[in-house]
């Protein structure tokens, strides 16, 4: 065998050395590259922090005196680890006893209405004491963790949370409680149509529905805050200063609201009505002091209000701003106010009441079928005479002027009250192309649709010297 020459060995050694230098240079070059440095820093950051989304506290809602109508409180979603005991493990009997204690704690401390209706605790128990291979005992649960309760709160729940925090009972180690804020309504159903409610179980789609909860939803909710939390406990700081949503002070007087709701309920029962509305407004400011609907819901259990018929429910959640009706004789106030303002009549103008009036192909009578003879405009209002107000509208004021005045009073137009769900029912005006002279019945409130809030705003204008 022939040994390699010295020259050849030297060449190979030099070549290997050169390759090493090139590799070393490349390594240094890579490590000092700006893009590589950015990638390393980004990786370090990803592995050092995680993102946490913080939802600010929703703004509060008060009445005019500072009484809380809508607030927030801490509630808990409670989950349970589905870890089978295993038939062959040591201490199985003790572990089963712990499971028994666990389920007893759930039944004892968590209110029934907070328990997840889709979870059968008997199945959970069977799974928890089963052999680890028996996974079909809880069908439909894809993970080893199940939500036992949602939005649980109260004194008994606080006791359970204290037991979990203190690790008082080993069996409770399977339970985990996640705190979060939920909307609460201390007055339950009081002014429910005004306040509305917050749909807090739709995750990212949670929103205010109806009333001021919806109308001012953007202001009440504030902005969700993304926060980077360090995995290193020594780097953890306090929670960031996240501004809550804007709070609202309504014009509503809770005590007056309560009285008005009682009066309305008694009136509906006395007269056998399907529903009713009472609105109390300060005509000089337009402030709504009370707004009662006979159909109310407990806002703390808003989910019982099912939107099967969406349009029907929207109209009836707050009939004061959404439900149309024929106002009847109250409309005579606007007709007479228009005639007086236009100078078509004076309070002393004489009208000869025959008990009937014919126009536009129809004949109408007074509400009692009587004829009152020679009466003044004051008498027409005192006796609520359909014939008189119809004559005023047709012969003295003119139907075109009548509908112009009604529009000026806001009939057929939104009041723009700051609650969600106001409905508007356009009025057929004299120049609409749909007019028929039989619509002179507008003069005494028949054949025309208004909402209660439109009527209150219009009548308040009369009480306020003609200014809405």
């Amino acid at each position: 065998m022939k040994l390699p020459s010295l020259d050849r060995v030297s060449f190979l050694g030099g070549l290997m050395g050169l390759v090493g230098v090139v590799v070393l240079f490349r390594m240094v070059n890579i490590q000092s590259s700006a893009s590589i440095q950015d990638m390393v820093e980004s990786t370090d950051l990803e592995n050092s922090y995680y993102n946490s989304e913080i939802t600010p506290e929703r703004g509060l809602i008060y009445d005019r005196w500072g009484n809380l109508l809508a607030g927030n409180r801490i509630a808990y979603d409670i989950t349970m680890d589905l870890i089978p005991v295993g038939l062959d493990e040591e201490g199985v009997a003790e572990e089963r006893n712990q499971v028994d204690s666990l389920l007893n704690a759930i039944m004892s401390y968590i209110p029934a209405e907070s328990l997840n209706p889709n979870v059968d605790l008997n199945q959970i128990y069977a799974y928890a004491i089963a052999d680890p291979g028996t996974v079909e005992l809880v069908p439909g649960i894809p993970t080893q963790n199940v939500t036992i309760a949602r939005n649980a709160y109260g004194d008994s729940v606080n006791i359970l949370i204290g037991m979990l925090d203190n690790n008082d009972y080993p069996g409770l180690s399977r339970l985990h409680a996640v705190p979060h804020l939920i909307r609460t309504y201390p007055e339950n159903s009081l002014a429910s149509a005004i306040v509305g409610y917050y749909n807090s179980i739709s995750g990212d789609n949670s929103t205010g529905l109806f009333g001021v909860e919806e109308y001012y939803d953007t202001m009440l909710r504030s902005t969700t805050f993304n926060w980077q939390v360090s995995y290193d406990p020594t780097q953890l700081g306090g929670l960031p200063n996240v501004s809550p949503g804007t709070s609202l002070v309504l014009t509503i007087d809770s005590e007056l609201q309560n009285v008005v709701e009682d009066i309305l309920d008694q009136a509906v029962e006395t007269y056998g009505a399907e529903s009713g509305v009472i609105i109390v407004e300060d005509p000089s400011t337009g402030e709504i002091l009370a707004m009662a609907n006979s159909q109310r819901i407990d806002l703390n259990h808003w989910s019982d209000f099912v939107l099967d018929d969406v349009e029907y429910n929207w109209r009836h959640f707050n009939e004061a701003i959404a439900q149309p009706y024929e106002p009847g004789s109250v409309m005579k106030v606007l007709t007479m106010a228009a005639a007086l303002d236009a100078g078509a009549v004076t309070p002393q103008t004489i009208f000869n009441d025959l008990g009937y009036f014919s126009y536009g192909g129809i004949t109408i009578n007074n509400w009692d079928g009587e004829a009152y003879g020679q009466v003044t405009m004051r008498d027409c209002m005192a006796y609520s005479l359909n014939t008189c107000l119809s004559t005023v509208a047709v012969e003295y004021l003119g139907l075109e002027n009548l509908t112009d005045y009604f529009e000026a009073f806001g009939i057929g137009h939104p009041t723009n009250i700051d609650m969600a769900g106001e409905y508007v029912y356009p009025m057929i005006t004299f120049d609409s192309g749909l007019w028929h002279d039989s619509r002179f019945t507008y003069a005494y409130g028949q054949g025309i649709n208004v909402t209660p809030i439109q009527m209150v705003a219009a009548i308040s204008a009369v009480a306020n010297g003609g200014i809405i």
Side-chain angles (χ1 to χ4, degrees):
M1 182 174 65
K2 184 179 178 181
L3 294 175
S5 67
L6 183 60
D7 291 342
R8 191 173 181 182
V9 172
S10 300
F11 173 77
L12 290 176
L15 180 61
M16 294 299 293
L18 179 61
V19 169
V21 169
V22 171
V23 170
L24 179 61
F25 172 80
R26 183 57 180 161
M27 289 176 62
V28 171
N29 179 261
I30 289 176
Q31 292 182 19
S32 61
S33 167
S35 61
I36 296 300
Q37 289 292 330
D38 290 343
M39 183 179 69
V40 170
E41 291 177 5
S42 174
T43 302
D44 288 344
L45 185 64
E46 289 179 3
N47 292 330
S48 301
Y49 296 88
Y50 65 92
N51 288 321
S52 177
E53 188 175 80
I54 299 176
T55 301
E57 181 179 4
R58 190 170 176 83
L60 309 180
I61 301 175
Y62 302 93
D63 82 341
R64 67 187 304 117
W65 306 119
N67 298 310
L68 186 64
L69 298 176
N72 306 297
R73 71 175 302 161
I74 294 177
Y76 298 88
D77 288 346
I78 300 177
T79 62
M80 176 180 173
D81 293 332
L82 293 180
I83 305 173
V85 173
L87 298 179
D88 298 326
E89 297 178 7
E90 295 182 3
V92 167
E94 179 182 351
E95 184 73 12
R96 286 182 178 173
N97 288 335
Q98 291 180 359
V99 172
D100 286 334
S101 299
L102 172 63
L103 296 180
N104 286 333
I106 291 173
M107 299 302 294
S108 300
Y109 294 104
I110 300 177
E113 61 267 23
S114 298
L115 292 174
N116 186 348
N118 299 318
V119 171
D120 186 337
L121 291 181
N122 291 324
Q123 286 185 316
I124 296 298
Y125 176 77
Y127 187 90
I129 65 171
D131 185 280
T134 312
V135 296
E136 296 300 326
L137 289 174
V138 190
I141 299 179
T143 67
Q144 300 302 302
N145 183 278
V146 64
T147 299
I148 298 294
R150 299 186 187 278
N151 296 331
Y153 64 88
D155 293 339
S156 61
V157 174
N158 291 337
I159 293 174
L160 178 61
I161 300 304
M163 294 164 62
L164 294 179
D165 291 342
N166 296 327
N167 196 25
D168 292 339
Y169 301 97
L172 296 183
S173 61
R174 292 170 176 262
L175 285 186
H176 307 282
V178 180
H180 60 277
L181 289 174
I182 63 169
R183 201 64 160 164
T184 60
Y185 301 92
E187 299 293 344
N188 301 312
S189 65
L190 184 75
S192 61
I194 299 169
V195 176
Y197 60 82
Y198 179 63
N199 174 5
S200 57
I201 61 173
S202 297
D204 294 337
N205 296 321
S206 296
T207 185
L209 290 174
F210 302 103
V212 295
E213 284 276 32
E214 178 175 347
Y215 189 91
Y216 288 108
D217 184 59
T218 302
M219 291 175 60
L220 288 164
R221 70 167 57 242
S222 190
T223 304
T224 300
F225 182 83
N226 290 314
W227 183 40
Q228 282 191 329
V229 185
S230 174
Y231 284 114
D232 182 355
T234 63
Q235 301 297 318
L236 291 178
L239 286 173
N241 184 19
V242 180
S243 298
T246 302
S247 292
L248 304 177
V249 178
L250 308 185
T251 61
I252 299 301
D253 182 323
S254 291
E255 291 189 12
L256 181 60
Q257 178 74 25
N258 189 56
V259 170
V260 167
E261 288 183 3
D262 287 343
I263 292 172
L264 177 60
D265 291 344
Q266 293 171 16
V268 168
E269 181 177 359
T270 298
Y271 295 104
E274 291 185 5
S275 63
V277 170
I278 296 178
I279 303 174
V280 182
E281 178 183 326
D282 181 343
S284 64
T285 64
E287 292 181 356
I288 304 299
L289 306 179
M291 179 183 285
N293 289 259
S294 55
Q295 301 183 55
R296 300 183 292 275
I297 68 170
D298 183 344
L299 296 175
N300 292 304
H301 301 284
W302 58 263
S303 58
D304 295 339
F305 179 71
V306 181
L307 289 173
D308 290 331
D309 185 333
V310 175
E311 182 176 356
Y312 176 86
N313 282 284
W314 271 99
R315 290 187 182 184
H316 289 271
F317 190 86
N318 189 349
E319 293 184 341
I321 67 173
Q323 182 61 24
Y325 76 110
E326 286 187 332
S329 290
V330 70
M331 205 72 171
K332 295 171 182 174
V333 175
L334 304 188
T335 301
M336 186 59 72
L340 290 168
D341 184 72
V345 298
T346 70
Q348 292 76 35
T349 299
I350 299 298
F351 169 69
N352 184 28
D353 178 32
L354 303 176
Y356 64 89
F357 176 79
S358 297
Y359 189 75
I362 64 172
T363 298
I364 59 100
N365 304 98
N366 289 319
W367 62 274
D368 58 0
E370 297 294 326
Y372 285 75
Q374 296 284 318
V375 293
T376 66
M377 292 296 110
R378 291 183 185 274
D379 296 330
C380 287
M381 296 301 290
Y383 300 137
S384 191
L385 301 183
N386 297 338
T387 55
C388 178
L389 274 297
S390 298
T391 301
V392 167
V394 173
E395 298 181 7
Y396 300 169
L397 179 63
L399 294 176
E400 183 173 5
N401 286 334
L402 179 71
T403 58
D404 287 346
Y405 266 99
F406 281 1
E407 282 200 290
F409 275 116
I411 305 302
H413 297 279
T415 66
N416 294 318
I417 189 170
D418 49 348
M419 285 187 287
E422 181 179 13
Y423 271 67
V424 177
Y425 303 87
M427 179 180 63
I428 296 176
T429 58
F430 190 82
D431 58 356
S432 66
L434 300 174
W435 179 263
H436 189 276
D437 283 343
S438 62
R439 296 187 187 278
F440 75 85
T441 57
Y442 281 11
Y444 56 94
Q446 292 187 14
I448 185 171
N449 276 332
V450 301
T451 57
I453 191 62
Q454 284 177 330
M455 203 71 244
V456 167
I459 296 296
S460 292
V462 176
N464 194 40
I467 299 173
I468 295 181

